[in-house]
Amino acid sequence: LRNAEKELLPGFHQFEWQPALKNVSSSWDVGIIDGLSGWTTFVDDVPADTISRRFRYDVALVSALKDLEEDIMEGLKERGLDDSICTSGFTVVVKESCDGMGDVSEKHGSGPAVPEKAVRFSFTIMSISIRVEGEDDGITIFQEQKPNSELSCRPLCLMFVDESDHETLTAILGPVVAERKAMTESRLILSVGGLLRSFRFFFRGTGYDEKMVREMEGLEASGSTYVCTLCDSTRAEASQNMVLHSITRSHDENLERYEIWRSNPFSESADELRDRVKGVSAKPFMETQPTLDALHCDIGNATEFYKIFQDEIGEVYQKSNPSREERRRWRSTLDKQLRKKLKFKPVMRMNGNYARRLMTREAVEVVCELVPSEERREALRKLMDLYLQMKPVWRSTCPSRDCPDQLCQYSYNSQQFADLLSTMFKYRYDGKITNYLHKTLAHVPEIVERDGSIGAWASEGNESGNKLFRRFRKMNARQSKMF
């Protein structure tokens, strides 16, 4: 088994880069390395109180490609291409995901004292295509069928660090970013199917939740008035005009804005400056794709619906600011009802599974039993119906194939949804809106048009990997120690 394992882990297969990677060693037999290697400490630096392990990025990619060797050869054959001629022009598209994992303390482990939070960075090979002489478009020879499975999601770096600890996070991911940048400017020469072939890589950082995107791209935290990581809208604007926004932010623009923020070339006041840079207030250190993460979108919107349900049970639309006690009572009424009728266990914090079960017609019917007015019940049903029409579009791996009708109707449905929020539910959306609702209503069609899919690029595979990691650490996921 040990020898079989060695073949599967990075550091087994020989390869080279042309031109050689800048600032990256050319050795190929490198296995697990210390995540802090390449981090020079100065005398007055605080020693990093973290433990981190990673693979060198290029070595890990080679291992992943060799893993797909049979699929690549099979793909060439299926497309009627002669594999002895196809030695160059391969393009590999890679999805990157990174996520903080909250509490991973050992219940009674005797390991070293490290921060009890962890961050995992991983990648998935999404597709491989080849440009053939005389053809303009690449021919896809491999497409990952389960891009959100933990099986296709390969861990690159594990660190014990709090995702909010910007300094340590950037220090550890710094070398990863450098390796990735070097690889985009070079070609990999690797033996696949017995012949040397050359591969180019495209990296798309899409598997990040909003917190992590803001962290990587130097934006203010999620509660900022700048509500979106894709456009410059403020929260108030987004609640007035819920649907008509286009994607304008990009990594390069964030870097330029950071420069303006740092140097204040027009000698403006703090408020004017902040308005000029639209909430960029730290140096972006890793490029992420301006997109929406389907899993966290689901969770964020379900959280919002859960709150709407409570408000409707308490008939908030008639009252002005109810007390904490009242709110608590409505929440427990809702939890009891969901538990009695649908066997939902109340959760401390919304998760993907609860979100999937809450966002259904059954759940709405059960909630409607507690809502006194028929008019309000109708509004709730309509809200959920529209949401369920919209959801497949950003959930599906290939919406144009899986739900073409809903894709066509998306803009219409989102407009209807927005109208409903700004009339029947005005008490919640007067001058404010949640980050994910804004993205769901305003940006989905544009992203689908650009990328073909939102669901395929989600962080789900990485999140499932977190579950495995917790399991290996003999620990129960996110369960509080009180019970």
Side-chain angles (χ1 to χ4, degrees), residues 214 217 219-220 224 226-234 246-254 257 277-280 288-290 450:
R214 287 173 175 272
E217 290 281 15
L219 300 164
E220 294 169 354
S224 159
Y226 296 98
V227 60
C228 188
T229 54
L230 300 124
C231 70
D232 293 342
S233 175
T234 62
S246 55
I247 298 174
T248 54
R249 289 189 191 265
S250 69
H251 184 66
D252 293 337
E253 183 192 59
N254 290 340
R257 284 178 165 174
V277 298
K278 305 294 178 201
V280 176
T288 64
Q289 280 290 321
R450 183 191 68 194

mmCIF file of all heavy atoms in Angstrom, residues 214 217 219-220 224 226-234 246-254 257 277-280 288-290 450:
data_model
loop_
_atom_site.group_PDB
_atom_site.id
_atom_site.type_symbol
_atom_site.label_atom_id
_atom_site.label_comp_id
_atom_site.label_asym_id
_atom_site.label_seq_id
_atom_site.Cartn_x
_atom_site.Cartn_y
_atom_site.Cartn_z
ATOM 1 N N ARG A 214 -13.700 39.199 0.429
ATOM 2 C CA ARG A 214 -13.412 40.541 0.921
ATOM 3 C C ARG A 214 -12.020 40.597 1.550
ATOM 4 O O ARG A 214 -11.293 41.570 1.393
ATOM 5 C CB ARG A 214 -14.487 40.972 1.925
ATOM 6 C CG ARG A 214 -15.816 41.293 1.241
ATOM 7 C CD ARG A 214 -16.934 41.567 2.221
ATOM 8 N NE ARG A 214 -18.150 41.989 1.524
ATOM 9 C CZ ARG A 214 -18.424 43.247 1.207
ATOM 10 N NH1 ARG A 214 -17.583 44.214 1.520
ATOM 11 N NH2 ARG A 214 -19.540 43.554 0.572
ATOM 12 N N GLU A 217 -9.441 40.381 -1.402
ATOM 13 C CA GLU A 217 -9.462 41.493 -2.356
ATOM 14 C C GLU A 217 -9.372 42.862 -1.683
ATOM 15 O O GLU A 217 -9.562 43.896 -2.322
ATOM 16 C CB GLU A 217 -10.735 41.428 -3.223
ATOM 17 C CG GLU A 217 -10.744 40.259 -4.208
ATOM 18 C CD GLU A 217 -9.900 40.522 -5.454
ATOM 19 O OE1 GLU A 217 -9.087 41.476 -5.445
ATOM 20 O OE2 GLU A 217 -10.043 39.778 -6.433
ATOM 21 N N LEU A 219 -11.325 44.386 0.467
ATOM 22 C CA LEU A 219 -12.556 45.158 0.670
ATOM 23 C C LEU A 219 -12.922 45.186 2.153
ATOM 24 O O LEU A 219 -12.462 44.359 2.930
ATOM 25 C CB LEU A 219 -13.710 44.514 -0.116
ATOM 26 C CG LEU A 219 -13.498 44.422 -1.623
ATOM 27 C CD1 LEU A 219 -14.487 43.454 -2.245
ATOM 28 C CD2 LEU A 219 -13.643 45.792 -2.253
ATOM 29 N N GLU A 220 -13.777 46.139 2.520
ATOM 30 C CA GLU A 220 -14.243 46.182 3.908
ATOM 31 C C GLU A 220 -15.065 44.928 4.218
ATOM 32 O O GLU A 220 -15.503 44.241 3.316
ATOM 33 C CB GLU A 220 -15.116 47.429 4.112
ATOM 34 C CG GLU A 220 -14.344 48.717 3.965
ATOM 35 C CD GLU A 220 -15.231 49.954 3.895
ATOM 36 O OE1 GLU A 220 -16.465 49.823 3.849
ATOM 37 O OE2 GLU A 220 -14.665 51.049 3.878
ATOM 38 N N SER A 224 -20.242 46.228 5.563
ATOM 39 C CA SER A 224 -19.936 47.537 4.980
ATOM 40 C C SER A 224 -21.115 48.108 4.189
ATOM 41 O O SER A 224 -21.964 47.370 3.713
ATOM 42 C CB SER A 224 -18.738 47.359 4.041
ATOM 43 O OG SER A 224 -18.669 48.405 3.100
ATOM 44 N N TYR A 226 -20.763 49.274 1.396
ATOM 45 C CA TYR A 226 -20.519 48.773 0.035
ATOM 46 C C TYR A 226 -20.868 47.299 0.050
ATOM 47 O O TYR A 226 -20.088 46.450 0.447
ATOM 48 C CB TYR A 226 -19.076 49.053 -0.396
ATOM 49 C CG TYR A 226 -18.866 50.540 -0.474
ATOM 50 C CD1 TYR A 226 -18.270 51.229 0.567
ATOM 51 C CD2 TYR A 226 -19.365 51.267 -1.553
ATOM 52 C CE1 TYR A 226 -18.149 52.609 0.532
ATOM 53 C CE2 TYR A 226 -19.254 52.643 -1.601
ATOM 54 C CZ TYR A 226 -18.646 53.316 -0.558
ATOM 55 O OH TYR A 226 -18.560 54.679 -0.595
ATOM 56 N N VAL A 227 -22.075 47.025 -0.419
ATOM 57 C CA VAL A 227 -22.744 45.770 -0.133
ATOM 58 C C VAL A 227 -22.206 44.632 -1.003
ATOM 59 O O VAL A 227 -22.363 43.466 -0.688
ATOM 60 C CB VAL A 227 -24.275 45.961 -0.330
ATOM 61 C CG1 VAL A 227 -24.571 46.364 -1.748
ATOM 62 C CG2 VAL A 227 -25.060 44.742 0.015
ATOM 63 N N CYS A 228 -21.516 44.973 -2.109
ATOM 64 C CA CYS A 228 -21.264 43.942 -3.108
ATOM 65 C C CYS A 228 -19.788 43.803 -3.463
ATOM 66 O O CYS A 228 -19.053 44.796 -3.507
ATOM 67 C CB CYS A 228 -22.064 44.288 -4.368
ATOM 68 S SG CYS A 228 -22.047 42.994 -5.595
ATOM 69 N N THR A 229 -19.378 42.571 -3.739
ATOM 70 C CA THR A 229 -17.989 42.336 -4.162
ATOM 71 C C THR A 229 -17.889 42.349 -5.691
ATOM 72 O O THR A 229 -16.820 42.124 -6.238
ATOM 73 C CB THR A 229 -17.487 40.968 -3.653
ATOM 74 O OG1 THR A 229 -18.401 39.961 -4.083
ATOM 75 C CG2 THR A 229 -17.422 40.943 -2.133
ATOM 76 N N LEU A 230 -19.023 42.604 -6.369
ATOM 77 C CA LEU A 230 -19.004 42.619 -7.842
ATOM 78 C C LEU A 230 -19.266 44.007 -8.421
ATOM 79 O O LEU A 230 -18.863 44.299 -9.542
ATOM 80 C CB LEU A 230 -20.073 41.674 -8.387
ATOM 81 C CG LEU A 230 -19.912 40.218 -7.975
ATOM 82 C CD1 LEU A 230 -21.153 39.731 -7.298
ATOM 83 C CD2 LEU A 230 -19.590 39.378 -9.147
ATOM 84 N N CYS A 231 -20.004 44.852 -7.677
ATOM 85 C CA CYS A 231 -20.277 46.200 -8.200
ATOM 86 C C CYS A 231 -20.093 47.205 -7.068
ATOM 87 O O CYS A 231 -19.924 46.830 -5.907
ATOM 88 C CB CYS A 231 -21.690 46.272 -8.773
ATOM 89 S SG CYS A 231 -22.985 46.180 -7.522
ATOM 90 N N ASP A 232 -20.149 48.494 -7.416
ATOM 91 C CA ASP A 232 -19.849 49.545 -6.439
ATOM 92 C C ASP A 232 -21.064 50.011 -5.650
ATOM 93 O O ASP A 232 -20.993 50.990 -4.920
ATOM 94 C CB ASP A 232 -19.256 50.768 -7.163
ATOM 95 C CG ASP A 232 -17.894 50.458 -7.764
ATOM 96 O OD1 ASP A 232 -17.284 49.458 -7.333
ATOM 97 O OD2 ASP A 232 -17.449 51.194 -8.660
ATOM 98 N N SER A 233 -22.176 49.338 -5.799
ATOM 99 C CA SER A 233 -23.415 49.793 -5.185
ATOM 100 C C SER A 233 -23.314 49.898 -3.654
ATOM 101 O O SER A 233 -22.623 49.098 -3.017
ATOM 102 C CB SER A 233 -24.520 48.808 -5.544
ATOM 103 O OG SER A 233 -25.689 49.150 -4.872
ATOM 104 N N THR A 234 -24.006 50.873 -3.082
ATOM 105 C CA THR A 234 -24.111 50.921 -1.617
ATOM 106 C C THR A 234 -25.371 50.161 -1.213
ATOM 107 O O THR A 234 -26.232 49.890 -2.052
ATOM 108 C CB THR A 234 -24.261 52.366 -1.114
ATOM 109 O OG1 THR A 234 -25.473 52.889 -1.652
ATOM 110 C CG2 THR A 234 -23.097 53.227 -1.536
ATOM 111 N N SER A 246 -24.494 46.147 -12.955
ATOM 112 C CA SER A 246 -23.612 45.251 -13.708
ATOM 113 C C SER A 246 -22.275 45.106 -12.991
ATOM 114 O O SER A 246 -21.908 45.931 -12.142
ATOM 115 C CB SER A 246 -23.426 45.725 -15.147
ATOM 116 O OG SER A 246 -22.966 47.043 -15.125
ATOM 117 N N ILE A 247 -21.567 44.045 -13.325
ATOM 118 C CA ILE A 247 -20.320 43.722 -12.635
ATOM 119 C C ILE A 247 -19.228 44.692 -13.077
ATOM 120 O O ILE A 247 -18.939 44.800 -14.267
ATOM 121 C CB ILE A 247 -19.888 42.284 -12.966
ATOM 122 C CG1 ILE A 247 -20.956 41.301 -12.474
ATOM 123 C CG2 ILE A 247 -18.545 41.962 -12.345
ATOM 124 C CD1 ILE A 247 -20.712 39.873 -12.864
ATOM 125 N N THR A 248 -18.642 45.406 -12.124
ATOM 126 C CA THR A 248 -17.597 46.361 -12.501
ATOM 127 C C THR A 248 -16.291 46.106 -11.754
ATOM 128 O O THR A 248 -15.234 46.474 -12.215
ATOM 129 C CB THR A 248 -18.035 47.799 -12.184
ATOM 130 O OG1 THR A 248 -18.413 47.855 -10.799
ATOM 131 C CG2 THR A 248 -19.223 48.200 -13.040
ATOM 132 N N ARG A 249 -16.350 45.476 -10.585
ATOM 133 C CA ARG A 249 -15.120 45.323 -9.807
ATOM 134 C C ARG A 249 -14.193 44.278 -10.435
ATOM 135 O O ARG A 249 -14.642 43.331 -11.055
ATOM 136 C CB ARG A 249 -15.434 44.890 -8.374
ATOM 137 C CG ARG A 249 -16.072 45.965 -7.528
ATOM 138 C CD ARG A 249 -16.125 45.494 -6.075
ATOM 139 N NE ARG A 249 -16.926 46.336 -5.227
ATOM 140 C CZ ARG A 249 -16.449 47.337 -4.477
ATOM 141 N NH1 ARG A 249 -15.154 47.624 -4.509
ATOM 142 N NH2 ARG A 249 -17.248 48.040 -3.707
ATOM 143 N N SER A 250 -12.885 44.474 -10.229
ATOM 144 C CA SER A 250 -11.925 43.456 -10.661
ATOM 145 C C SER A 250 -10.693 43.580 -9.777
ATOM 146 O O SER A 250 -10.496 44.598 -9.093
ATOM 147 C CB SER A 250 -11.513 43.697 -12.109
ATOM 148 O OG SER A 250 -10.742 44.885 -12.162
ATOM 149 N N HIS A 251 -9.860 42.566 -9.798
ATOM 150 C CA HIS A 251 -8.661 42.551 -8.963
ATOM 151 C C HIS A 251 -7.759 43.747 -9.277
ATOM 152 O O HIS A 251 -7.271 44.431 -8.380
ATOM 153 C CB HIS A 251 -7.919 41.236 -9.199
ATOM 154 C CG HIS A 251 -6.719 41.053 -8.327
ATOM 155 N ND1 HIS A 251 -6.814 40.912 -6.952
ATOM 156 C CD2 HIS A 251 -5.400 41.004 -8.616
ATOM 157 C CE1 HIS A 251 -5.600 40.777 -6.452
ATOM 158 N NE2 HIS A 251 -4.729 40.826 -7.425
ATOM 159 N N ASP A 252 -7.569 44.017 -10.578
ATOM 160 C CA ASP A 252 -6.688 45.122 -10.970
ATOM 161 C C ASP A 252 -7.234 46.465 -10.492
ATOM 162 O O ASP A 252 -6.492 47.318 -10.009
ATOM 163 C CB ASP A 252 -6.501 45.159 -12.496
ATOM 164 C CG ASP A 252 -5.731 43.922 -12.970
ATOM 165 O OD1 ASP A 252 -5.007 43.333 -12.131
ATOM 166 O OD2 ASP A 252 -5.861 43.545 -14.142
ATOM 167 N N GLU A 253 -8.554 46.617 -10.632
ATOM 168 C CA GLU A 253 -9.152 47.869 -10.169
ATOM 169 C C GLU A 253 -8.992 48.006 -8.659
ATOM 170 O O GLU A 253 -8.702 49.100 -8.145
ATOM 171 C CB GLU A 253 -10.638 47.904 -10.536
ATOM 172 C CG GLU A 253 -11.299 49.209 -10.139
ATOM 173 C CD GLU A 253 -12.820 49.177 -10.222
ATOM 174 O OE1 GLU A 253 -13.453 48.340 -9.554
ATOM 175 O OE2 GLU A 253 -13.361 50.007 -10.953
ATOM 176 N N ASN A 254 -9.138 46.900 -7.935
ATOM 177 C CA ASN A 254 -8.969 46.953 -6.479
ATOM 178 C C ASN A 254 -7.547 47.376 -6.121
ATOM 179 O O ASN A 254 -7.335 48.138 -5.177
ATOM 180 C CB ASN A 254 -9.287 45.594 -5.845
ATOM 181 C CG ASN A 254 -10.771 45.264 -5.922
ATOM 182 O OD1 ASN A 254 -11.600 46.154 -6.093
ATOM 183 N ND2 ASN A 254 -11.103 43.989 -5.814
ATOM 184 N N ARG A 257 -7.295 51.068 -6.731
ATOM 185 C CA ARG A 257 -8.023 51.808 -5.691
ATOM 186 C C ARG A 257 -7.256 51.794 -4.371
ATOM 187 O O ARG A 257 -7.277 52.773 -3.623
ATOM 188 C CB ARG A 257 -9.418 51.224 -5.508
ATOM 189 C CG ARG A 257 -10.348 51.651 -6.635
ATOM 190 C CD ARG A 257 -11.725 51.047 -6.484
ATOM 191 N NE ARG A 257 -12.668 51.759 -7.360
ATOM 192 C CZ ARG A 257 -13.924 51.402 -7.533
ATOM 193 N NH1 ARG A 257 -14.398 50.338 -6.908
ATOM 194 N NH2 ARG A 257 -14.719 52.098 -8.317
ATOM 195 N N VAL A 277 -12.872 55.246 -3.415
ATOM 196 C CA VAL A 277 -12.332 53.889 -3.624
ATOM 197 C C VAL A 277 -13.387 52.810 -3.358
ATOM 198 O O VAL A 277 -13.097 51.620 -3.432
ATOM 199 C CB VAL A 277 -11.087 53.620 -2.742
ATOM 200 C CG1 VAL A 277 -9.976 54.567 -3.108
ATOM 201 C CG2 VAL A 277 -11.420 53.712 -1.268
ATOM 202 N N LYS A 278 -14.612 53.236 -3.031
ATOM 203 C CA LYS A 278 -15.737 52.302 -2.859
ATOM 204 C C LYS A 278 -15.419 51.150 -1.909
ATOM 205 O O LYS A 278 -15.653 49.977 -2.207
ATOM 206 C CB LYS A 278 -16.179 51.718 -4.206
ATOM 207 C CG LYS A 278 -16.532 52.762 -5.250
ATOM 208 C CD LYS A 278 -17.754 53.551 -4.847
ATOM 209 C CE LYS A 278 -18.081 54.625 -5.883
ATOM 210 N NZ LYS A 278 -18.914 55.700 -5.337
ATOM 211 N N GLY A 279 -14.841 51.503 -0.764
ATOM 212 C CA GLY A 279 -14.665 50.489 0.280
ATOM 213 C C GLY A 279 -13.449 49.588 0.148
ATOM 214 O O GLY A 279 -13.338 48.606 0.869
ATOM 215 N N VAL A 280 -12.516 49.919 -0.760
ATOM 216 C CA VAL A 280 -11.253 49.156 -0.772
ATOM 217 C C VAL A 280 -10.352 49.787 0.273
ATOM 218 O O VAL A 280 -10.056 50.966 0.192
ATOM 219 C CB VAL A 280 -10.558 49.238 -2.150
ATOM 220 C CG1 VAL A 280 -9.208 48.538 -2.109
ATOM 221 C CG2 VAL A 280 -11.435 48.622 -3.221
ATOM 222 N N THR A 288 -9.395 36.937 -7.111
ATOM 223 C CA THR A 288 -10.559 36.045 -7.108
ATOM 224 C C THR A 288 -11.426 36.445 -8.291
ATOM 225 O O THR A 288 -11.363 37.572 -8.756
ATOM 226 C CB THR A 288 -11.388 36.206 -5.820
ATOM 227 O OG1 THR A 288 -11.928 37.527 -5.784
ATOM 228 C CG2 THR A 288 -10.546 35.979 -4.581
ATOM 229 N N GLN A 289 -12.222 35.504 -8.785
ATOM 230 C CA GLN A 289 -13.115 35.814 -9.900
ATOM 231 C C GLN A 289 -14.351 36.513 -9.371
ATOM 232 O O GLN A 289 -14.946 36.030 -8.414
ATOM 233 C CB GLN A 289 -13.566 34.513 -10.577
ATOM 234 C CG GLN A 289 -12.548 33.948 -11.511
ATOM 235 C CD GLN A 289 -12.390 34.809 -12.751
ATOM 236 O OE1 GLN A 289 -13.358 35.326 -13.272
ATOM 237 N NE2 GLN A 289 -11.166 34.963 -13.204
ATOM 238 N N PRO A 290 -14.761 37.634 -9.980
ATOM 239 C CA PRO A 290 -15.988 38.263 -9.495
ATOM 240 C C PRO A 290 -17.191 37.384 -9.816
ATOM 241 O O PRO A 290 -17.717 37.407 -10.915
ATOM 242 C CB PRO A 290 -16.044 39.596 -10.249
ATOM 243 C CG PRO A 290 -15.053 39.497 -11.330
ATOM 244 C CD PRO A 290 -14.142 38.350 -11.077
ATOM 245 N N ARG A 450 -21.438 34.909 -18.767
ATOM 246 C CA ARG A 450 -19.979 34.961 -18.900
ATOM 247 C C ARG A 450 -19.337 33.574 -18.720
ATOM 248 O O ARG A 450 -18.461 33.178 -19.470
ATOM 249 C CB ARG A 450 -19.432 35.935 -17.843
ATOM 250 C CG ARG A 450 -17.937 36.161 -17.905
ATOM 251 C CD ARG A 450 -17.456 36.912 -16.671
ATOM 252 N NE ARG A 450 -17.585 36.068 -15.469
ATOM 253 C CZ ARG A 450 -17.505 36.540 -14.225
ATOM 254 N NH1 ARG A 450 -17.360 37.832 -14.014
ATOM 255 N NH2 ARG A 450 -17.608 35.721 -13.194
#
